[in-house]
Amino acid sequence: MIGARAARAFAPASVGNVGVGFDLLGHALDQYGDRVLVRVIEEPVVRVSAIRGLVTDLPFDPVHNTAARAVASWRSALGLACGFEIEIDKGIPLGSGLGGSAASASAALTAANALLVQPGDIASLYPHALEGESAASGSRHGDNVGPQLLGGLVLATHDRLLPVPVPDCLHAAVVHPHYVLETRRAREALRGHYALSEFVAQSEGLALVLAGCYRQDLELIAAGLRDVLVEPRRAGLIPGFAQAKQAALDHAALGASISGAGPSVFAWYRDAASAEQAALAMAEAFATVGLASDRIVCKVASPGARVLEVL
């Protein structure tokens, strides 16, 4: 089944939740991403031999490393006799709300799949990516690995990936303040009771955004792109969030909210120029609370994971 000895792949960062779709909806981002090399070895194990880049203090233990855990799940499902050695080059800061832990798993699986004589389709990698993601977040949610694997906007349930068409003009402005917010801490903030009216309002928002995307209707998207369920419970964990969100809205965003678990903030715009101007204003808002930041502006329909080379 194995046809090559090594392969390297890239997986992009992502905006998880997209405000209205907690643990279900996400979209890929351009520019940021992880690169992973997967090499065939004779020993029937999966191991991590190197971690480089923006983050190096990640676990080498294959049970707790997202890339290794994903590849181990994939290897077991295929019944492969050989093992794999993994080298990770991190291009996404951890604790950023940009799907950093998920990207390592997505890139590793994309590289491993390229080693096969007959590679499987991308969707077949999804359950193994979920297994990898669970090593970092403690749960199997696909709002990051889904769009990282497929690209664009994706609805990711527990057992399927559904690409969602978006208007070609749609651009995202994402600003990552230099502040670490651990995913587990952000999820802890969601404990407690919720009113039925909150669920109804959130469901309405998700329905409007999805309908707007399928109908190519920006007004419907704008009507639904707001988070009344999760954002209010996490906003206080992010210094400068209120100012950054207001800056996004002041520049005519269709909607703005927290990217993933935070602290990054995303907003959607009708064109690239508006997104660029808004990203600058959002970064300036974070600067008022003493935080430097990075900016990403790209199409919501950005490409997903891809093989860089087969060796």
Side-chain angles (χ1 to χ4, degrees):
M1 298 178 70
I2 297 294
R5 305 309 298 173
R8 191 187 311 274
F10 169 87
S14 54
V15 169
N17 302 331
V18 195
V20 291
F22 181 71
D23 279 1
L24 291 171
L25 198 64
H27 73 79
L29 292 174
D30 222 347
Q31 302 174 38
Y32 274 178
D34 284 1
R35 289 170 171 77
V36 176
L37 175 72
V38 178
R39 182 182 298 108
V40 177
I41 58 175
E42 292 185 10
E43 189 179 359
V45 298
V46 176
R47 63 180 180 231
V48 179
S49 62
I51 301 174
R52 300 177 289 261
L54 292 181
V55 184
T56 56
D57 58 342
L58 296 175
F60 280 75
D61 176 359
V63 174
H64 297 104
N65 182 283
T66 62
R69 188 154 161 176
V71 172
S73 173
W74 172 82
R75 172 185 176 272
S76 176
L78 292 182
L80 299 175
C82 64
F84 301 94
E85 185 174 81
I86 297 171
E87 296 181 17
I88 302 169
D89 287 282
K90 292 295 298 179
I92 306 172
L94 291 187
S96 62
L98 298 173
S101 58
S104 294
S106 299
L109 286 168
T110 302
N113 188 49
L115 299 173
L116 298 177
V117 174
Q118 293 184 317
D121 62 78
I122 296 296
S124 71
L125 304 178
Y126 180 51
H128 311 299
L130 289 177
E131 180 62 26
E133 167 76 347
S134 70
S137 67
S139 62
R140 295 168 60 91
H141 52 90
D143 56 323
N144 285 305
V145 295
Q148 287 169 357
L149 290 172
L150 294 185
L153 182 66
V154 174
L155 181 64
T157 72
H158 73 283
D159 63 350
R160 67 187 67 196
L161 293 177
L162 301 171
V164 179
V166 296
D168 188 60
C169 66
L170 207 58
H171 279 72
V174 182
V175 177
H176 165 232
H178 295 178
Y179 179 82
V180 176
L181 178 56
E182 294 182 356
T183 300
R184 291 177 189 269
R185 181 183 169 213
R187 293 185 85 85
E188 280 292 320
L190 303 183
R191 292 181 179 273
H193 298 286
Y194 295 79
L196 182 60
S197 59
E198 292 178 303
F199 283 102
V200 173
Q202 192 79 350
S203 297
E204 177 191 78
L206 177 58
L208 286 169
V209 168
L210 292 177
C213 287
Y214 276 98
R215 295 174 66 169
Q216 303 286 293
D217 187 329
L218 295 178
E219 299 308 317
L220 280 183
I221 293 172
L225 192 56
R226 69 286 193 281
D227 178 5
V228 302
L229 200 64
V230 175
E231 181 188 305
R233 292 164 173 82
R234 285 179 169 172
L237 301 176
I238 305 170
F241 169 74
Q243 297 93 315
K245 178 180 178 180
Q246 190 59 52
L249 297 176
D250 288 346
H251 282 74
L254 298 178
S257 190
I258 302 168
S259 175
S264 295
V265 179
F266 84 94
W268 280 7
Y269 290 90
R270 299 169 185 270
D271 55 70
S274 298
E276 290 280 2
Q277 293 171 3
L280 284 170
M282 293 159 70
E284 289 170 359
F286 277 120
T288 65
V289 296
L291 291 176
S293 58
D294 302 312
R295 306 187 307 273
I296 302 173
V297 173
C298 63
K299 283 191 171 186
V300 173
S302 288
R306 50 198 179 271
V307 177
L308 299 176
E309 57 181 340
V310 178
L311 308 170

